[in-house]
Amino acid sequence: MRLREFLEITKADLYRYAGKTSLGAFLFHYILSLGFRYTVWMRWCALVHAYPIARVLFFPFAWLVNRHQQIRFGIGISYKTQIGPGLYIGHQGGIVINEQVVIGKNCNLSQQVTIGVSRRGERAGIPTVGDNVYIGPGAKMFGKIVIGNNAAIGANAVVTRDVPENAVVVGIPGKIISHEGSAGYINKTNYNAQEKNK
């Protein structure tokens, strides 16, 4: 990650919370939206780790702050995890994501979500989550599966198989109940369009 990319991704993250990217909005949500504050430090760790000098001078402090927030907020997402712009963490607590997971843009993560590895069987591996995916409270996803764009994973669902685009999955094991997708759950995603209109 480079500085320009960090700034653009952080603005996209902020836009998901505030619908704007002003300094006032940043300060407001940095103070009051713990998920956004965590995301800022997680992405800052990725930035300073990418530069050899910054890695020596700034990364240890950034990592300590991020680690403190992991413990305090109950969010276990590594700075190494590939997460696209527009991440929205609605409520902190009990979020655990394997660092090899890949998540697309405009993802909503709820509390008690686990996205992890499966180490045996035909689906051994790590999930890949597409763009504009809503993941409800308590949802679990394991193994080498693909969650398609615009999918919605319901509360407490356990997903161990691929989910097609626009699917709504609920239950244990997760089953598709409709193809209405994440529309209505994923909001404030037009950051790029807003920037072009400036």
Side-chain angles (χ1 to χ4, degrees):
M1 180 181 290
R2 293 295 182 255
L3 181 58
R4 183 186 295 269
E5 183 184 5
F6 167 79
L7 293 174
E8 287 302 307
I9 289 177
T10 301
K11 286 180 181 179
D13 292 340
L14 175 59
Y15 193 82
R16 293 294 319 284
Y17 289 83
K20 52 188 174 181
T21 59
S22 64
L23 177 60
F26 177 88
L27 294 174
F28 179 86
H29 285 282
Y30 183 84
I31 294 169
L32 296 180
S33 300
L34 302 183
F36 176 68
R37 188 192 311 175
Y38 182 88
T39 302
V40 169
W41 280 97
M42 178 189 70
R43 299 209 192 268
W44 179 253
C45 281
L47 172 67
V48 297
H49 191 267
Y51 293 91
I53 295 175
R55 190 181 309 156
V56 174
L57 296 177
F58 303 116
F59 180 74
F61 174 75
W63 183 86
L64 283 172
V65 171
N66 191 230
R67 180 61 180 154
H68 170 74
Q69 290 182 343
Q70 284 184 345
I71 296 167
R72 182 180 175 196
F73 302 154
I75 302 175
I77 308 175
S78 171
Y79 69 92
K80 298 176 184 177
T81 307
Q82 295 181 46
I83 302 177
L87 176 64
Y88 181 89
I89 301 175
H91 299 280
Q92 75 281 1
I95 299 173
V96 179
I97 297 180
N98 186 286
E99 68 179 31
Q100 297 178 26
V101 169
V102 176
I103 298 176
K105 65 182 180 180
N106 300 320
C107 179
N108 276 33
L109 288 176
S110 305
Q111 67 273 24
Q112 304 299 324
V113 165
T114 299
I115 307 177
V117 62
S118 176
R119 300 200 182 275
R120 65 181 187 179
E122 62 180 15
R123 295 191 181 272
I126 305 291
T128 299
V129 179
D131 298 338
N132 306 310
V133 173
Y134 171 82
I135 305 174
K140 318 295 182 198
M141 291 177 276
F142 303 101
K144 189 176 181 179
I145 61 174
V146 175
I147 309 300
N149 297 338
N150 308 304
I153 309 301
N156 297 314
V158 177
V159 182
T160 58
R161 297 192 177 277
D162 292 349
V163 174
E165 292 188 1
N166 302 302
V168 177
V169 175
V170 300
I172 305 173
K175 295 181 180 179
I176 298 171
I177 61 166
S178 81
H179 291 278
E180 296 178 2
S182 60
Y185 292 109
I186 306 291
N187 301 307
K188 300 174 186 168
T189 60
N190 59 341
Y191 165 71
N192 288 331
Q194 184 248 6
E195 284 295 295
K196 290 178 183 177
N197 292 331
K198 283 187 175 180

